[in-house]
Amino acid sequence: MWDLASGKLLRSITDAHPPGTAILHIKFTDDPTLAICNDSGGSVFELSFKRVMGVRTCESRCLFSGSKGEVCCIEPLHAKTELRDHPITQYSLLAMASLTKILVIGLKPSLKVWMTFPYGRMDPSSVPLLAWHFVAVQNSVNPMLAFCRGDVVHFLLVKRDDSGAIHVTKQKQLHLHYDLINFTWINSRTVVLLDSVEKLHVIDRQTQEELETIEISEVQLVYNSSHFKSLATGGNVSQALALVGEKACYQSISSCGGQIFYLGTKSVHVMMIRSWRERVDHLLKQDCLTEALALAWSFHEGKAKAVVGLSGDANKRKAVIADRMVEILFHYADRTLKKCPDQGKIQVMEQHFQDMVPVTVDYCLLLQRTDLLFSQMYDKLSENSVAKGVFLECLEPYILSDKLMGMTAQVMKDLLLHYQDKNLMEDMEACIVHMDITSLDIQQVVLLCWENHLYDAMIYVYNSGMNDFISPMEKLFKVIAPPLNAGKSLTDEKVVMGNKLLVYISCCLAGRAYPLGDIPEDLVPLVKNQVFEFLIRLHSAEASADEEVYPYVRTLLHFDTREFLNVLALTFEDFKNDKQAVEYQQRIVDILLKVMVENSDFTPSQVGCLFTFLARQLAKPNNTLFVNRTLFDQVLEFLCSPDDDSRHSERQQVLLELLQVGGIVQFEENRLIPMAEKAEFYQICEFMYEREHLYDKIIDCYLRDPVRKEEVFNYIHNILSIPGYSAEEKQSVWQKAMKHIEELLLLSPNKAADLIATHFDDQIEGIIKNLQDQFLLFQFLRSLLDPREGINQDTLQMSPCVTEQFIELLCHYSPDQVLETLQVLEFYRLEETIQITQKHLLHEASSYLLEKKGDVHGAFLVMLEQLRSKLLVLTREIEESTELHLLKDIEDTLVKIIALCQRNSHSLNQQQREALWFPLLEAMMSPQKLSSSTALCQYSEPLKSLTMQVLNNMAAFIALPSILQRILQDPVYGRGKLGEIQGLVLGMLDTFNYEQTLLETTTNLLNHDLHWSLCNLRASITKGLNPKQDYCCICLQQYKRRQEMADEIIVFSCGHLYHSVCLLSKECGIETKGQMRWTCYKCNSSNKGGKLSENFSELKKGNGASLAQSSSESLLDSQQIQAFDQLCRLYRGTSRLALLTELSRTRGGEKHGLLNVSQGDPALNSVFQNENFQLHLTPPPLTEE
């Protein structure tokens, strides 16, 4: 032990720790007579120094034995001078870190363990680290222990409670991506970490943000490996401690007073965090002024990290930083002007100042130094005209957000002139209404605003600058009044002025400032009175001799009556019922009546707006207004004037609105309804009838109103459906609707039918009898009975007579739609309906009904007769123009007959089929026999094509020999040559040849595939089995064991081998019909998904000299099916049958369509037509390649 002050050796201690171990750490506690040491054996000792009678002694006590775990790091808690009185210092806490856990013990007043913290598995080469520091948490200062091993730092907060007990709580962990070898506190918020590649990391503890990284490999740090390996004493340390010692540098790094000392092989390095001023100056030296200002502002706002050098209360700190920022701002302004490009485009200079000048403005306003901004800074930047303009434009966002209310008169004047020069009038107006302009020349600003149409700004200047709320209105009235009084339309600009005037009046009467803010409370009553007095003036200030009375009210009414009255209505809402307010309301109402009623230059809509406004005011419960009732009568006569057809809907709407807001109390109801009917105001009549619950009369109103006729159906439906109406009211509406049922049908047959089906279903037959107009009856029945019209047929209980009556009307008025309607109709009798269609000669409809009745032959004869008649027409001498149309007609008819025959041939016997098909063939062939006809050459080819179509479809139901025999037995062909039917016969023979070739080719292909499959199956089933191992997979013994016993050896196709006894013990063998069926135990147990692979075995008898296959069954078991599926998947290629089918289509197209087989062809069920037919083969067991 040395005295560092004098360099004197105080004592030599020889028995502090066991011999043969190296000292790793020795550290003093806050008590100078107490030190702790840690040796390479992992033990910790307490050294107590005493001086008795001038003799220095040292007593050593073992605190922790290395046999319980090797401690390699110790850290006593040290308190600064100002914290020596902290209650926790009396315990003299010591933290120890072994290779498996942390311990916190108290040395005083007696030895006690306060915490044990075991940590999980770590990298064995990582170094345990401990570091104490006092931190402020929740308004109290307590020690915090940082522990780290590897890449995770744990923070443990140590507190002492009132009872004297110490509690340790875990705080937020710090997760890193590098391995640590040193941890050092700089202050309570900042820590410095050193990783295993010798990089320093400065971390903010609370945010865990990495502030800076520094490479220190040039320090050539000294490591303590030799001590940890105890090389001086023979290296008698554990391997774990020696591995930790590879990265240990505990004694090479020390911290004191915010500085960290690093011991290198050739030098000592000191690291410290720069003070806030040094950090700012460092950025200034690098010419990073913007970054320096941003950093200084973060210091000012307390948002910076790792701050050093700022002390005192918050206001003093802010003042110091603000002074430094002002210095930087002056420097920044100078540099902005110096760095300006001297030559080049003006845009380059503007861009330079736009990048630089806003920074100055931002920080001056953030620091609330407008005195600096508008004096020295402005004077500096005004030296350059471009910089000055950019400076002034920078102020706009602050003005608009009300962050900058006041500025010097000079700057404000320059700002207005700059905007005027640049023609930025809208921006200037937006700025003016946010500024305090009392320091400006008011008249000059007003003139400027008026000349540039800045009406908002002008009003604001008058109001805020001179408390004058009347002059702006006078100026605006002078502009918009003359054209309105002359009956001219206003320009867009004057419309804008008028709208602003209305909003301004509304704001003044509501106590709001225009365009934003509020009028001072003491001025609100005065302003309201002034504005009212102004509006109700008898004449304007500079009135001419012919000026009409109340010019201001008149102008506003002409400009926008509704909006002006809305302004007054809002004002009346705000008025308190004092005497003056009541007088103002009555006075302005009297003026409104005088202006509008005594003049004929207002439209009905404008007059209606006035009386609607009055009716609303009069209907209020606390109403104090008085209006002469005769005025309402005059308005009623004016609006209901039958001589005036102009603005009919407008006048009706105005009167309706007037009644709805309560004006009805002002009229005599017995006089109102006749006048409304005379004026054809049906909505007014509806309103009045509804009040009196005369709902039936409202139907007349709808029917007589050309605009709303269609709505009568919904009205009737609602009355009859919605609850809330009495039975008598519903009955009267029902009777009225029945009375006008024909009129409703004329209006909309579909809607009327829907209404009748819903509410008048029991009156349908009576309605049908009473309808005289047959076409109207037809429309009604179609809407009622045709399901496509949307009416639910299930709810209608109609007799078949009604449906048949509808069908007859349909045959008369729309014969083309009869067939498709019959297909969807229900509830008609077949016999009667057939008579109707036959009466009207609708053959297709008759055929459909006969087929539906079951008389297929009769239906066929009707259609066949139709075809014959058309063919007969074709054989006559006809014009070419009608020939094509007739051929198309014949083809359509033929297609329908063929479809009829095809639909019914399945249910007929051979004789009945021939009775259908042969007459059809005869009908098509008979025109071709007329070889003497001169028209034959014109249509012989189309007829042959149609005949072939008949033959193609016949072939599916009639045997070809029968068809050929029938043709040859024909008397005509029997007497003559076969030349006439040569084409038909050759076509049939060609079809036969093609089908024969196709059948032979398909058979050959199937035989080839069958032979190939059988060859593969035979090769698989005769293949030997090769076991994967020579021992049983269950008992794991050689299969040759116990040769004296007749034990069977079971070999599976999967390669697994078993003793039969072992398989039986695992229940893997089942006896079926005297045969044992075996299952592979290993494959079966590994198949846990549900589908078990049953690999059935081959039997090897006796000692394995011969292999005998198990007898095969005629049926496929599950293992064989699986093997066969795998084989099919392995050798599956393109379907040959699919290829043949495609070829057959191609060839069939070339052969005149002779292969168009119908859907009912029984040949489709043939094995040759079915690609999915299966061969019943016995596959081999599954084999492994």
Side-chain angles (χ1 to χ4, degrees), residues 675-688:
M675 291 185 70
E677 289 178 346
K678 192 175 181 182
E680 298 181 354
F681 286 177
Y682 298 114
Q683 291 184 47
I684 305 298
C685 296
E686 179 187 353
F687 178 80
M688 298 303 298

Side-chain angles (χ1 to χ4, degrees), residues 257-428:
Q259 296 179 324
I260 309 175
F261 299 88
Y262 295 89
L263 176 63
T265 56
K266 298 179 181 179
S267 57
V268 175
H269 294 255
V270 182
M271 303 284 182
M272 69 185 76
I273 294 181
R274 293 188 180 97
S275 69
W276 73 272
R277 196 179 293 273
E278 289 171 340
R279 287 166 68 178
V280 172
D281 291 342
H282 176 71
L283 290 172
L284 291 176
K285 286 177 185 177
Q286 295 179 340
D287 206 25
C288 300
L289 273 70
T290 308
E291 291 81 357
L293 284 166
L295 179 61
W297 181 249
S298 68
F299 290 138
H300 187 277
E301 294 299 294
K303 295 179 181 177
K305 308 289 190 305
V307 183
V308 176
L310 280 176
S311 58
D313 63 5
N315 292 331
K316 286 183 180 179
R317 292 201 301 268
K318 288 187 176 184
V320 172
I321 298 167
D323 292 341
R324 183 61 179 139
M325 288 184 70
V326 169
E327 294 173 12
I328 300 172
L329 284 171
F330 279 122
H331 179 45
Y332 186 82
D334 292 335
R335 198 189 72 157
T336 300
L337 294 171
K338 287 178 184 177
K339 294 282 185 179
C340 175
D342 297 330
Q343 55 188 1
K345 294 183 179 179
I346 189 70
Q347 290 86 351
V348 177
M349 294 179 66
E350 284 183 350
Q351 186 60 47
H352 167 74
F353 286 116
Q354 284 170 0
D355 294 337
M356 306 292 285
V357 172
V359 177
T360 306
V361 178
D362 283 344
Y363 284 109
C364 284
L365 291 175
L366 285 173
L367 292 170
Q368 298 179 356
R369 292 296 301 274
T370 52
D371 57 330
L372 177 68
L373 180 65
F374 295 132
S375 57
Q376 293 159 284
M377 288 295 176
Y378 184 59
D379 294 341
K380 271 182 181 292
L381 295 173
S382 295
E383 296 171 8
N384 185 301
S385 59
V386 178
K388 180 180 178 181
V390 172
F391 176 87
L392 293 170
E393 289 175 15
C394 285
L395 302 178
E396 181 181 344
Y398 295 99
I399 295 171
L400 296 182
S401 60
D402 293 327
K403 293 179 181 177
L404 182 61
M405 297 293 290
M407 60 182 77
T408 62
Q410 183 60 44
V411 176
M412 197 176 294
K413 183 178 179 182
D414 291 347
L415 178 67
L416 297 180
L417 290 173
H418 172 75
Y419 276 120
Q420 190 175 14
D421 293 340
K422 288 235 175 180
N423 197 28
L424 301 172
M425 291 300 142
E426 291 184 2
D427 296 336
M428 182 169 77

Side-chain angles (χ1 to χ4, degrees), residues 183 218 271 581 730 752 860:
F183 182 100
E218 71 275 4
M271 303 284 182
K730 289 187 176 184
F860 171 74

Side-chain angles (χ1 to χ4, degrees), residues 24-25 27 38-44 64 66 69-75 95-101 119 124 126-130 147 149 224 228 238 240-242 244-245 248-251:
L24 301 182
H25 305 276
K27 298 189 178 184
N38 172 212
D39 65 7
S40 59
S43 298
V44 181
F64 186 87
E70 294 169 302
V71 172
C72 55
C73 180
I74 60 173
E75 194 66 41
M96 301 183 295
S98 73
L99 298 178
T100 57
K101 58 188 174 184
Y119 47 86
S126 58
V127 183
L129 303 171
L130 294 169
F147 161 72
R149 187 176 183 192
N224 311 137
F228 274 76
S238 67
L241 195 63
V244 169
C249 55
Y250 294 108
Q251 312 305 329

Side-chain angles (χ1 to χ4, degrees), residues 824-877:
V824 297
L825 270 183
E826 299 176 4
F827 311 119
Y828 59 86
R829 294 169 294 184
L830 286 174
E831 289 292 343
E832 287 76 2
T833 311
I834 290 170
Q835 293 175 11
I836 294 169
T837 54
Q838 289 176 344
K839 172 184 169 184
H840 290 273
L841 301 178
L842 298 176
H843 303 292
E844 286 186 36
S846 300
S847 174
Y848 167 77
L849 293 168
L850 286 167
E851 184 184 2
K852 188 174 180 181
K853 179 185 172 185
D855 186 1
V856 178
H857 195 69
F860 171 74
L861 290 177
V862 170
M863 293 299 293
L864 185 64
E865 186 62 35
Q866 184 76 0
L867 177 66
R868 284 173 175 165
S869 63
K870 292 177 181 177
L871 288 169
L872 187 62
V873 174
L874 183 68
T875 56
R876 297 174 184 169
E877 298 293 337

